Amino acid sequence: MDFTNIFFLLYLIGTLSDFLLDQILEAGNFIHRNKHGREIPPELEGHIDEATLCKTVAYKNASYKLWVPRHILSTALNLVLVLCGFYPMIFNAIWKWTGNVYLASLLFMLLASLPDTILDLPFSLVREFKIEKDFGFSKMTFRMWISDAIKSAVLSAVISIPLICIALVLLSHAAAWWWILLGAVYVAFSFLLSYLYPVLIAPIFNKFTPLEEGELKERLESLMEKTGFHAKSIFIMDASKRSGHSNAYFTGLGKNKRIVLYDTLVNQLSTDEIEAVLAHELGHYKHKHIIKRQCVTIPLIFAALFAISLLIKRPELYSAFGFLEKADVSRIGVELQFIGLFLIFLAFGSFLWIASLIGNAASRRDEFQADAFSGKICGGGKNLITALIKLNKENLSEICPPKIYCVFNYSHPPLTERIKAISAATNNTAKNFQEET
């Protein structure tokens, strides 16, 4: 292993800087929460009490105290595995045993992910069966938890194994053009998963029941017709069998497009509030947020794969992590090029927070637009505001975390900012209406 190698230095700098950044942000949020988390903002006077805020602080503090050792141990494990040569050791052993590029690559990906999976196991158990249960969220049984883990593992294998094999075939036979073909396959596969998710994947974990006839269904169908959104149906998901958390979303493509409401959300909100929440989700559709995101994401996928196609030919990438002792390009066969994909993520993965920073900013902008759309189509933002307050209380979400923390970690604006923006948009609409009349 070459400690002066540029790829190793990028890995080391990225890992340590990402670790320090996360620790500083979380510690800053912890301090801010304990100092200001029990204060009731003017926007929430009469809507929330100190007892709820105290419970929120306790819930978030419990999660933070579990996150700290998990984050430290995970980073330490990551460094130890790289520095002790774990990855080239298991690859060489697997390659010597199998001599088959497909089997060796699949086994390598499995064994490379195993240490962190094992490390996460006790923390996942504590999070689910201690923290989530103590605060009244988790309804999970140990048998259900095991069942979900097995289902997730099988589903992950069913999805990832074909993609890995396709990548290997293209690396072997498509020469300089493999990255274009792999990008096309990945994009097509993603759309296929989006199409199949509502009917094949989601029902593996939850039961989806069509919304019963009545006022709520009539209101929501009228809303969809008004916005031009055509969905197969509106479904209630039995989220309460696992958790008390609430949500609503639309999913699928084409004829499989559907609206999904958590049963917890239906029980917590009024008909007017559910309509406002759905109007928010339809705001994303009306503003074409998903399409716009895809128009940015898809070119970035091809650009990243092109960069990868250049980097996996560099012998320095492999010598940085102990896969090659010398910069010998002739030894970089298909089996090593595939490992190169893993090594590139190892070297550059800690810098993904930069992309996340940009993505979160775009997502928060989209949320404000969807909120404004909901207020406009529902005749005001009052119902959306009360719905957001209720959901925030029920989910024990933080009301007003530090702005710098939100910039790095929040894909949705915090509650107080959303309330201010919705109120301002509603007031502007009313003012414009008065001026026109």
Side-chain angles (χ1 to χ4, degrees):
M1 189 175 296
D2 184 0
F3 296 104
T4 62
N5 184 293
I6 183 62
F7 290 103
F8 180 81
L9 290 175
L10 282 170
Y11 160 75
L12 195 61
I13 292 169
T15 299
L16 295 178
S17 61
D18 186 55
F19 171 80
L20 289 174
L21 178 64
D22 284 343
Q23 288 287 342
I24 291 170
L25 287 172
E26 293 294 339
N29 190 35
F30 175 74
I31 294 168
H32 180 275
R33 180 168 58 243
N34 284 291
K35 186 175 182 180
H36 301 289
R38 299 170 185 83
E39 299 172 0
I40 301 175
E43 298 84 5
L44 296 174
E45 288 285 352
H47 293 286
I48 198 166
D49 54 34
E50 188 176 348
T52 302
L53 295 179
C54 288
K55 189 176 181 181
T56 299
V57 169
Y59 174 58
K60 293 299 182 181
N61 284 350
S63 299
Y64 170 72
K65 290 173 184 177
L66 183 67
W67 174 86
V68 170
R70 171 68 178 94
H71 191 232
I72 292 172
L73 289 174
S74 178
T75 304
L77 176 64
N78 188 322
L79 288 166
V80 168
L81 292 178
V82 169
L83 294 174
C84 75
F86 173 76
Y87 298 117
M89 180 183 69
I90 62 169
F91 172 75
N92 291 332
I94 293 169
W95 183 249
K96 184 177 180 180
W97 176 54
T98 64
N100 181 284
V101 65
Y102 296 96
L103 186 57
S105 298
L106 291 170
L107 287 174
F108 175 82
M109 295 306 292
L110 173 64
L111 294 177
S113 64
L114 204 55
D116 194 66
T117 301
I118 294 172
L119 174 64
D120 187 59
L121 192 59
F123 292 96
S124 295
L125 288 168
V126 172
R127 182 167 51 249
E128 186 66 48
F129 293 101
K130 175 61 178 173
I131 296 175
E132 292 295 306
K133 282 192 178 293
D134 283 354
F135 287 89
F137 289 123
S138 178
K139 309 295 191 301
M140 190 84 75
T141 64
F142 186 70
R143 181 177 179 179
M144 190 185 296
W145 188 84
I146 291 292
S147 175
D148 281 357
I150 293 172
K151 290 176 183 177
S152 296
V154 171
L155 186 61
S156 178
V158 168
I159 293 172
S160 61
I161 289 175
L163 283 175
I164 291 173
C165 291
I166 290 170
L168 289 167
V169 169
L170 294 176
L171 281 167
S172 300
H173 303 290
W177 301 103
W178 69 267
W179 61 274
I180 294 179
L181 297 173
L182 183 59
V185 168
Y186 180 81
V187 171
F189 199 69
S190 298
F191 280 114
L192 178 62
L193 282 179
S194 296
Y195 179 78
L196 296 177
Y197 177 82
V199 293
L200 290 182
I201 299 175
I204 294 174
F205 297 94
N206 291 96
K207 182 179 179 181
F208 294 82
T209 307
L211 180 62
E212 295 179 355
E213 298 293 335
E215 182 188 2
L216 178 59
K217 185 175 182 180
E218 291 174 3
R219 293 273 293 274
L220 299 187
E221 287 181 342
S222 174
L223 179 64
M224 287 191 293
E225 185 178 350
K226 194 186 300 183
T227 57
F229 183 84
H230 303 289
K232 186 175 182 180
S233 187
I234 304 170
F235 289 86
I236 303 295
M237 189 181 91
D238 62 339
S240 59
K241 77 175 185 180
R242 284 181 173 82
S243 172
H245 293 293
S246 305
N247 200 5
Y249 63 92
F250 65 85
T251 184
L253 295 173
K255 67 178 184 180
N256 286 341
K257 197 158 50 176
R258 59 175 61 179
I259 299 288
V260 176
L261 307 174
Y262 283 24
D263 57 355
T264 47
L265 179 133
V266 173
N267 293 330
Q268 291 166 2
L269 304 184
S270 69
T271 299
D272 288 338
E273 289 166 342
I274 295 172
E275 182 184 39
V277 170
L278 181 57
H280 166 91
E281 296 301 327
L282 293 175
H284 290 301
Y285 162 77
K286 203 66 179 176
H287 283 288
K288 297 181 172 57
H289 290 155
I290 296 174
I291 294 175
K292 291 175 182 177
R293 197 169 301 167
Q294 291 296 332
C295 288
V296 174
T297 301
I298 291 174
L300 286 177
I301 289 171
F302 283 96
L305 286 171
F306 173 68
I308 289 171
S309 72
L310 301 178
L311 292 173
I312 61 171
K313 297 176 183 177
R314 304 286 300 181
E316 297 92 341
L317 174 65
Y318 305 93
S319 62
F321 298 98
F323 282 84
L324 287 179
E325 293 183 5
K326 297 185 292 184
D328 184 1
V329 72
S330 65
R331 294 183 58 198
I332 306 177
V334 173
E335 72 282 356
L336 266 190
Q337 286 187 41
F338 180 78
I339 300 302
L341 300 177
F342 170 79
L343 296 180
I344 287 170
F345 180 78
L346 201 63
F348 295 97
S350 296
F351 296 99
L352 289 177
W353 62 266
I354 299 172
S356 178
L357 200 66
I358 298 170
N360 283 342
S363 178
R364 291 192 299 271
R365 178 203 61 202
D366 291 348
E367 293 301 320
F368 282 129
Q369 286 186 340
D371 284 347
F373 178 85
S374 175
K376 182 178 179 180
I377 202 167
C378 292
K382 179 182 177 182
N383 290 323
L384 181 60
I385 288 174
T386 57
L388 290 174
I389 292 171
K390 286 182 181 179
L391 292 174
N392 198 93
K393 289 166 62 177
E394 294 294 338
N395 291 319
L396 296 181
S397 301
E398 288 187 88
I399 291 173
C400 191
K403 287 188 177 181
I404 187 64
Y405 185 83
C406 295
V407 166
F408 280 90
N409 292 288
Y410 273 43
S411 61
H412 287 54
L415 179 62
T416 51
E417 288 188 19
R418 294 182 74 173
I419 292 174
K420 290 176 184 177
I422 294 168
S423 299
T426 302
N427 292 336
N428 287 337
T429 301
K431 182 179 178 181
N432 292 336
F433 177 78
Q434 290 175 355
E435 291 176 352
E436 289 174 2
T437 55

